[in-house]
Amino acid sequence: MDQTFIEGTVAAIEAWHGISLPNDRALAALSDLQAALAEFAMIRDGLAFEDEPASFEAALAATKEPG
Amino acid sequence: MPISEYPTLTAAADAFAAGEVSAVALTEACLARIAAHDAALNSVIRLDAELARERAASLDAARSRGEALGPLAGVPMMHKDMYYREGRVSTCGSQIRKNFVAPITATALSRLDEAGAIDCGTLNMAEFAQNATGHNAHFGDCRNPWNTDYCTGGSSSGSGAAVAAGFVYAALGSDTGGSIRLPATMCGITGLKPTQTRVPRTGVMPLSFSFDNVGPLVRSAKDAARLLKVIAGRDELDPTSAREPVPDYEAALTGDLRGSRIAVIETYFLEDADAPVMAAFEAALEVLRGRGAEVTRIALPMMRAINACTAMISRVESATIHANWMRDRPQDYATHLSARIYAGYGVPGPTYVAALSMRGPLLRAFVAEALSAYDLVVTPTLRTRVPTRAETDADADMANWGRMMAASANTRPFNYLGLPTVSVPCGFDDRGLPVGLQLAGRPFAEARILAAADAFQRDTEWHMRAPNLA
């Protein structure tokens, strides 16, 4: 568990959202989050950012089964 | 089964339509089973027995008058306690909403009403639909009818248990990361997560705007086809609902898979799968081949990106919905749930938007690589054997946290992709718990995935097995 990340994130959540650490399990959840963010950092450079996030609905229509 | 001669939703509905059985008889059979066995399973939150009896009697009277009735007429159902019915309490499996009186009726419930279904009450669920195992600290865990020490799967825990136990013929669940397919798998029944936007979400408790889906848990693919036809389609009250026409899904169930091309995605979905799960999965592939399908194994390098993006979105959207309660009354959540929600506030805004913005491109890439040369992809629904409630209880022991969170590994990517996905039973493990086969297709290809599931069920009887409740 990276204490710097944990302590920084707890402080940021308190400052930005007014929400306090609810219990010790939340530390594990933050540790999971740190791993998920690290995984995201590994792939983000390979992603081509689209200007319009709502393109998902267009993709659903574009890729539907023909006929 | 509520009545052994009518073991499925379609059998019961057809028998009612033909005048072979009354709605009162079907309803009384269901109520009797609930009375006899729900103390052991804890699947019911609110039983509306008298309302159900009145409704059944009115349907019998309408039939005797020769009135035209809907395709689900006479069929008793109960639904996850997050489908709002105006004027009645919808707890969402929580302490926080224990007395929440719904201001509107869910469109899905209204459509089932119009089709003649009988609503017998509400079912247990994971608190705010937020775990994959079915644990609930406020109403008590719902218990698996095959073995009460084991998880039902979640979050639609009561829906899975009640249909598997034969308390009702169908139950609506919701699926944001696997919450229909996991209870279907763990309880040995059929569960359908439709294409994102296929079924309107009006009057349904939100969890994640991007990933929430309404769908049925039933005994067979044929049951799912009939019920989906009723609840699918545009609703002007839900601007996110699709305008795609709703086909006759049952008409597509021919049993013929000749010429079908099915891909097994080996990347990610089979990693560290338990041996009994893989044995049932491989046997299921043989059944599909026997029906004429060509089965090919493929690798998909984009699974890493899909999972990385998936992990960001539901965290943030759930955290946003729960922000006021997390500020004002965090102690009213189960320990594991407030912890889970809390982490969502730590996701940077640009990361969330980037993950959301990649959804369209990754869907296109997935379809290009997996669903252009192939009609369907298949995976085990759950990689492990059904876990026990004790070994996944994260409130009781921190060491269980990882196991609780891992249960949805094979289901949640399809929520990010928005693809229609069905889970059907494909065997039992060495501890006597069910194993599930997951089939997914292109957007709005519900007819195709249900046709494959139905073909599979014509050659197997796993979905018709019933737990011994005695």
Side-chain angles (χ1 to χ4, degrees):
Chain A
M1 197 177 286
D2 179 340
Q3 276 308 117
T4 304
F5 174 84
I6 299 293
E7 290 171 10
T9 305
V10 168
I13 291 173
E14 184 75 51
W16 295 337
H17 305 288
I19 293 171
S20 305
L21 188 76
N23 51 55
D24 287 349
R25 298 289 190 277
L27 296 174
L30 285 181
S31 188
D32 283 358
L33 173 64
Q34 185 182 16
L37 289 169
E39 184 67 18
F40 188 83
M42 295 288 285
I43 60 101
R44 69 185 167 204
D45 291 340
L47 303 180
F49 183 80
E50 288 211 339
D51 290 344
E52 176 49 77
S55 69
F56 173 68
E57 282 71 20
L60 275 182
T63 58
K64 71 181 181 183
E65 198 161 69
Chain B
M1 317 294 177
I3 296 181
S4 57
E5 300 96 305
Y6 315 116
T8 64
L9 174 154
T10 42
D14 292 348
F16 176 79
E20 296 169 11
V21 67
S22 70
V24 166
L26 290 169
T27 302
E28 291 297 347
C30 288
L31 295 175
R33 283 186 71 82
I34 293 168
H37 300 296
D38 194 54
L41 301 185
N42 193 33
S43 70
V44 175
I45 285 187
R46 190 188 70 240
L47 184 62
D48 292 329
E50 289 314 307
L51 289 171
R53 288 186 171 107
E54 289 170 17
R55 168 80 165 153
S58 72
L59 286 162
D60 286 340
R63 186 182 62 177
S64 68
R65 291 192 298 269
E67 292 179 17
L69 297 171
L72 300 175
V75 178
M77 302 180 185
M78 297 178 88
H79 307 294
K80 189 175 187 177
D81 197 14
M82 56 180 273
Y83 284 86
Y84 302 162
R85 191 175 283 283
E86 185 178 358
R88 294 194 208 167
V89 170
S90 185
T91 69
C92 306
S94 70
Q95 173 67 31
I96 288 172
R97 279 196 154 180
K98 216 158 198 170
N99 299 307
F100 168 70
V101 178
I104 58 171
T105 296
T107 294
L109 290 189
S110 296
R111 290 177 176 177
L112 291 174
D113 292 344
E114 290 163 17
I118 298 167
D119 187 347
C120 299
T122 66
L123 293 168
N124 205 348
M125 57 183 284
E127 182 180 1
F128 288 119
Q130 293 210 46
N131 69 56
T133 53
H135 289 87
N136 188 304
H138 309 294
F139 292 89
D141 298 348
C142 186
R143 295 184 279 275
N144 193 312
W146 292 95
N147 185 325
T148 54
D149 290 336
Y150 287 79
C151 292
T152 54
S155 64
S156 310
S157 53
S159 302
V163 172
F167 292 170
V168 284
Y169 285 100
L172 292 177
S174 67
D175 194 315
T176 304
S179 287
I180 288 172
R181 291 161 285 161
L182 290 168
T185 294
M186 296 193 204
C187 294
I189 57 173
T190 300
L192 172 68
K193 182 203 86 67
T195 305
Q196 194 76 45
T197 71
R198 176 71 294 183
V199 180
R201 301 176 295 185
T202 313
V204 185
M205 181 210 81
L207 165 55
S208 168
F209 319 112
S210 298
F211 294 169
D212 290 343
N213 287 277
V214 169
L217 292 97
V218 285
R219 193 152 294 281
S220 70
K222 188 177 178 184
D223 291 353
R226 184 168 301 184
L227 201 151
L228 181 63
K229 169 79 173 162
V230 168
I231 62 174
R234 175 72 178 177
D235 172 17
E236 294 304 328
L237 296 174
D238 177 1
T240 69
S241 61
R243 297 183 185 278
E244 287 288 318
V246 179
D248 183 349
Y249 300 109
E250 260 184 282
L253 310 183
T254 64
D256 187 0
L257 291 183
R258 286 175 296 175
S260 293
R261 302 157 302 169
I262 295 177
V264 175
I265 305 175
E266 293 194 311
T267 315
Y268 177 74
F269 290 99
L270 304 185
E271 291 170 7
D272 301 319
D274 284 352
V277 171
M278 284 307 298
F281 179 67
E282 295 291 347
L285 298 180
E286 284 306 309
V287 173
L288 294 169
R289 285 192 187 97
R291 277 271 160 184
E294 179 186 322
V295 179
T296 305
R297 291 169 192 270
I298 65 170
L300 281 182
M302 82 277 290
M303 286 312 302
R304 188 173 188 186
I306 289 169
N307 285 315
C309 291
T310 305
M312 297 301 145
I313 294 174
S314 60
R315 271 187 172 94
V316 171
E317 295 182 355
S318 166
T320 304
I321 289 165
H322 286 268
N324 286 339
W325 291 326
M326 283 292 287
R327 267 186 288 273
D328 297 341
R329 48 192 301 190
Q331 72 282 0
D332 288 336
Y333 290 97
T335 304
H336 75 270
L337 180 53
S338 57
R340 180 176 174 160
I341 293 170
Y342 177 78
Y345 301 108
V347 177
T351 300
Y352 167 71
V353 175
L356 206 55
S357 76
M358 284 311 302
R359 207 176 174 202
L362 283 170
L363 170 60
R364 289 192 184 93
F366 185 93
V367 170
E369 291 215 22
L371 288 167
S372 292
Y374 306 98
D375 302 305
L376 302 167
V377 296
V378 295
T379 78
T381 314
L382 175 69
R383 285 185 211 173
T384 65
R385 296 181 297 177
V386 177
T388 65
R389 290 188 290 120
E391 71 191 357
T392 50
D393 186 347
D395 288 340
D397 188 340
M398 191 63 200
N400 296 330
W401 177 270
R403 278 190 290 272
M404 178 183 242
M405 299 303 160
S408 59
N410 275 12
T411 49
R412 57 187 180 234
F414 294 104
N415 294 78
Y416 182 77
L417 295 167
L419 298 174
T421 311
V422 65
S423 180
V424 295
C426 67
F428 284 77
D429 66 26
D430 54 326
R431 301 189 292 200
L433 276 295
V435 177
L437 171 72
Q438 180 172 237
L439 305 96
R442 292 172 75 136
F444 302 104
E446 281 84 359
R448 186 182 286 277
I449 65 168
L450 288 170
D454 171 71
F456 179 79
Q457 291 181 334
R458 291 181 189 219
D459 284 345
T460 58
E461 46 74 51
W462 306 116
H463 62 296
M464 298 303 291
R465 288 199 183 182
N468 181 0
L469 301 179

